[in-house]
Amino acid sequence: MREFAYERVASLQDAAAKAASTPGAKFIAGGTNLVDLMKLEIETPTHLIDLNRLGLDKIEETDDGGLRIGAMVSNTDLAADLRVRKDYGALSRALLAGASGQLRNKASTGGNLLQRTRCPYFYDTNQPCNKRVPKSGCAAIGGYSRQLAIIGSSDSCIATHPSDMAVALRVLDAVVETVNSQGRTRAIPIADFHRLPGDTPDNETALEPGELITAVTLPRPIGGVHHYEKVRDRASYAFAVVSVAAVIQRDGTGRVALGGVAHKPWRIESAEALLPNGASAVVAQLLAGAKPARDNAFKLLLVERTLAAVIAQARAHEV
C-alpha cells in the first residue's frame, strides 16, 4: 500500500470541495472495497476523505411515502429496517445475499453502489485492463469469461457490476442524491447512474469529479411479491453468477432486473410486459442481442430458469 494522507471534514460541501481540489483524493466510507484495492495498488489515492461523521447514517420517511436512505447507512442496518423488510423486500433480500455479516456491518449504501468489478483480470495487475489502465486492452476478451458479461459489453470491456443491492434498487426505481463542491445537488435515477463500458470502461458512473453521494431515495411502495434470487458458486460470500430481482403483482405483471450479466444492473422495462407469458418470453426480449463469450453462454439458460423459479415462487405465495 502506498503512502496517503487522511482527513475528516466538517460538512458535505467541504468533503466535495476537498475531493474536487485535491488530485488523487478519494472518499472513504466503510472501506470494504477501497482498502482491498489499495493493498493491491489497483487504487492508489494520495488523500482519503472520511465521511463517517457527516450525519449520513439515517433512514427517513419521505413526504410521498417512500424512504430516504443516507449514504452511510450500513448494509446490515438497511436490511434489518422494518420498513425495508415490509415494503421493499427485494432490497432486504439482496443485501442479505451479499458478502458476509462482518462486511455488511461496515459496508455503506453509497459505497455499495460504487463497488468496482470483481473481474479477475481487473485484479491481476500483470494483465491489461481498460478499467484499471485506460487504453491498455482487455485480457478478459479471449480469456476465462465464466463470471463475466453476456450483454451490454463492448470491445473494451466485458466486466460485470458486482453489487446485489444495486440490482434491487434498479427494480425499485431508486434515485441517487448527490452534492458537488459548489453545493449543487442532483437526483440521478438509478437507471442512469451506472454506465455501460463503451470505449471508456474506467468511467463507471454518472458522478462528476468530487461529486458525493448523500442518499438513495426509494419511491412509495408498489406492493406485490418481492424476490431476490442469487445463483452463485457457493452458499455464501460469493458474487452472483446470475441474480434476479423481481416484484410480481397478483395479476402476473411486475418488474425484473438482473445481476451478474452486465456492466450495470440490467433491466429492460418493455420486456416486463411479457411476464404473464412466462420466463422464456421475458428473457427473449430482456437478453436480445446478448453476446456471450466462450465460457459463459450457459448464463442465457440460467437466467431463464432462475426467473422461472422466481415467477413460480410468486404464484405459490399468492395461493
Side-chain angles (χ1 to χ4, degrees), residues 196-304:
L196 292 178
D199 296 328
T200 56
D202 56 305
N203 187 9
E204 297 173 337
T205 72
L207 293 177
E208 300 169 353
E211 193 171 11
L212 169 65
I213 297 175
T214 55
V216 173
T217 302
L218 297 174
R220 63 186 304 169
I222 59 173
V225 180
H226 288 231
H227 283 277
Y228 186 77
E229 193 73 24
K230 181 176 181 179
V231 181
R232 45 190 162 178
D233 288 329
R234 56 181 184 268
S236 66
Y237 200 57
F239 295 99
V241 178
V242 159
S243 65
V244 174
V247 179
I248 310 294
Q249 303 294 340
R250 185 179 294 273
D251 63 1
T253 62
R255 303 177 181 184
V256 176
L258 305 179
V261 300
H263 201 256
K264 60 187 290 184
W266 192 257
R267 182 182 174 197
I268 304 296
E269 282 85 341
S270 60
E272 296 167 354
L274 300 172
L275 270 168
N277 299 335
S280 179
V282 176
V283 172
Q285 184 166 336
L286 188 59
L287 295 182
K291 296 180 179 179
R294 179 186 60 201
D295 304 308
N296 63 11
F298 71 93
K299 289 190 178 187
L300 295 168
L301 182 57
L302 185 58
V303 167
E304 182 179 332

Side-chain angles (χ1 to χ4, degrees), residues 9 15 28 40 45 100 114 138 154 161 185 203 209 222 230 255 260 295 307 309:
V9 291
I28 186 164
L40 296 170
S100 65
L114 296 175
C138 177
S154 72
H161 195 275
T185 60
N203 187 9
I222 59 173
K230 181 176 181 179
R255 303 177 181 184
D295 304 308
L307 178 57

Side-chain angles (χ1 to χ4, degrees), residues 110-127:
N112 195 308
L113 287 173
L114 296 175
Q115 285 184 84
R116 306 208 67 190
T117 185
R118 266 55 177 195
C119 173
Y121 298 98
F122 173 75
Y123 272 79
D124 185 349
T125 55
N126 293 311
Q127 300 286 344

Side-chain angles (χ1 to χ4, degrees), residues 31-175:
T32 57
N33 188 207
L34 178 60
V35 172
D36 283 345
L37 295 175
M38 290 171 66
K39 291 176 181 177
L40 296 170
E41 296 191 359
I42 294 170
E43 292 276 12
T44 55
T46 59
H47 195 100
L48 292 183
I49 303 165
D50 191 333
L51 305 176
N52 280 277
R53 297 186 178 182
L54 296 182
L56 300 176
D57 58 350
K58 297 177 178 61
I59 304 174
E60 302 168 308
E61 297 180 9
T62 61
D63 292 340
D64 64 353
L67 289 180
R68 186 176 187 272
I69 304 157
M72 288 301 304
V73 172
S74 74
N75 288 180
T76 295
D77 289 346
L78 183 56
D81 188 274
L82 292 177
R83 295 163 294 185
V84 174
R85 292 171 60 188
K86 176 179 178 290
D87 295 324
Y88 307 98
L91 176 57
S92 182
R93 292 180 181 214
L95 287 161
L96 292 173
S100 65
Q102 295 94 327
L103 286 172
R104 292 194 295 269
N105 288 342
K106 290 296 293 180
S108 67
T109 298
N112 195 308
L113 287 173
L114 296 175
Q115 285 184 84
R116 306 208 67 190
T117 185
R118 266 55 177 195
C119 173
Y121 298 98
F122 173 75
Y123 272 79
D124 185 349
T125 55
N126 293 311
Q127 300 286 344
C129 172
N130 289 317
K131 290 179 78 66
R132 182 168 23 84
V133 182
K135 309 300 182 184
S136 64
C138 177
I141 298 176
Y144 184 62
S145 58
R146 183 175 183 276
Q147 291 287 126
L148 302 179
I150 59 173
I151 196 164
S153 57
S154 72
D155 292 338
S156 296
C157 183
I158 59 171
T160 54
H161 195 275
S163 173
D164 294 294
M165 183 192 80
V167 182
L169 291 178
R170 179 68 180 91
V171 89
L172 294 170
D173 285 333
V175 174

